[in-house]
Amino acid sequence: MNNTHQLMLAWRMYAEDNRESLPFAYATGANKPYVWVPGDVTANPDSWNLDTTIRASILWPYCGKSTSIWHCPADTVTVVNNLGQRVPRVRSVSMNNWVGGNGDTPPKYKGYWGPIGNWLVYRKLSDMLKPGPANTFVILDERFDSINDAYFVTEMDGYPNLATTKLVDWPAIYHNRAAGFAFADGHSEIHRWRDEHTLAATVTLNQPQPNNQDVWWMQDHSTRE
């Protein structure tokens, strides 16, 4: 919780220094310098190289030179670096796709994931009116076998209908069937999962999960039309 809280302070300070503009959760090309953190932790050297990932983050100047806040202590996955040493992966957190959004899409683009509805992508702090900063998660611990880039997708199609829920990316289950979340108002919390499907031994990305109340909770804390 302390790690994600520190990341949220960095995120907030960046926005306040940049006329409330939020860093992109994902971007390539001309907008890549404005993504919140570059790199895919499933690929080398980004899985272990702090210089190409964490220290290259647009939030790095606000992080107090701490690389550890990007990694959950309960994430025990290791990788082999260029010296043949086994080290922790550089990052175990990702950002809500509705916060900052995909920088490769137009500024007013809505509904990047899924064709149904006009779900708002928050590009400025002032956009975050519903469900409001205290109820909109920005950063979370992502499951070790789901995490890749730093863009966590919560598909909103069908919300609030439980029958349509889907897990595109999977949240972590490190903390006794729970994951750490940090919200736009700056607070962090540990959220405990209730659906056994969320705790599956293996994951399949972009998997329909009808009636998964955990997915509904993430939808409810992501965005609105």
Side-chain angles (χ1 to χ4, degrees):
M1 288 177 63
N2 182 63
N3 286 352
T4 53
H5 175 66
Q6 293 302 313
L7 279 174
M8 285 310 304
L9 289 177
W11 175 84
R12 188 89 189 189
M13 286 189 289
Y14 170 85
E16 290 172 353
D17 281 352
N18 289 274
R19 299 182 180 180
E20 294 197 348
S21 292
L22 303 180
F24 296 123
Y26 177 87
T28 60
N31 283 320
K32 190 173 182 179
Y34 304 101
V35 70
W36 83 291
V37 63
D40 184 331
V41 297
T42 64
N44 288 324
D46 289 343
S47 63
W48 52 264
N49 193 330
L50 292 164
D51 291 331
T52 62
T53 55
I54 305 307
R55 295 190 184 105
S57 166
I58 201 169
L59 302 185
W60 178 245
Y62 304 92
C63 290
K65 298 183 178 181
S66 175
T67 59
S68 63
I69 63 176
W70 298 78
H71 188 271
C72 175
D75 178 3
T76 59
V77 173
T78 59
V79 294
V80 178
N81 66 13
N82 60 324
L83 301 176
Q85 301 166 326
R86 187 158 289 280
V87 296
R89 285 197 300 203
V90 295
R91 173 177 54 81
S92 52
V93 291
S94 293
M95 182 172 284
N96 185 350
N97 63 303
W98 301 103
V99 179
N102 185 335
D104 302 334
T105 60
K108 297 296 184 181
Y109 194 89
K110 296 182 180 182
Y112 182 75
W113 267 91
I116 303 172
N118 290 309
W119 307 104
L120 181 63
V121 175
Y122 302 119
R123 291 285 171 85
K124 287 183 173 289
L125 286 175
S126 55
D127 292 338
M128 306 183 84
L129 301 177
K130 294 180 181 180
N135 291 303
T136 303
F137 80 86
V138 180
I139 296 169
L140 80 161
D141 296 326
E142 185 171 356
R143 185 168 159 146
F144 74 94
D145 47 0
S146 170
I147 195 169
N148 38 54
D149 54 31
Y151 183 79
F152 185 92
V153 173
T154 301
E155 185 165 310
M156 294 294 297
D157 286 358
Y159 172 84
N161 182 2
L162 261 172
T164 64
T165 49
K166 176 191 289 188
L167 272 171
V168 178
D169 293 323
W170 293 60
I173 55 174
Y174 303 134
H175 306 284
N176 189 24
R177 301 166 59 102
F181 283 81
F183 292 77
D185 69 340
H187 87 273
S188 292
E189 63 183 59
I190 300 296
H191 182 76
R192 186 175 175 83
W193 304 120
R194 302 171 64 184
D195 193 299
E196 291 300 321
H197 292 93
T198 312
L199 308 170
T202 59
V203 306
T204 301
L205 302 183
N206 205 21
Q207 184 182 61
Q209 290 276 343
N211 302 308
N212 188 323
Q213 56 191 317
D214 297 331
V215 177
W216 188 93
W217 182 88
M218 288 189 289
Q219 291 175 324
D220 196 51
H221 292 83
S222 285
T223 186
R224 293 291 187 272
E225 288 188 279

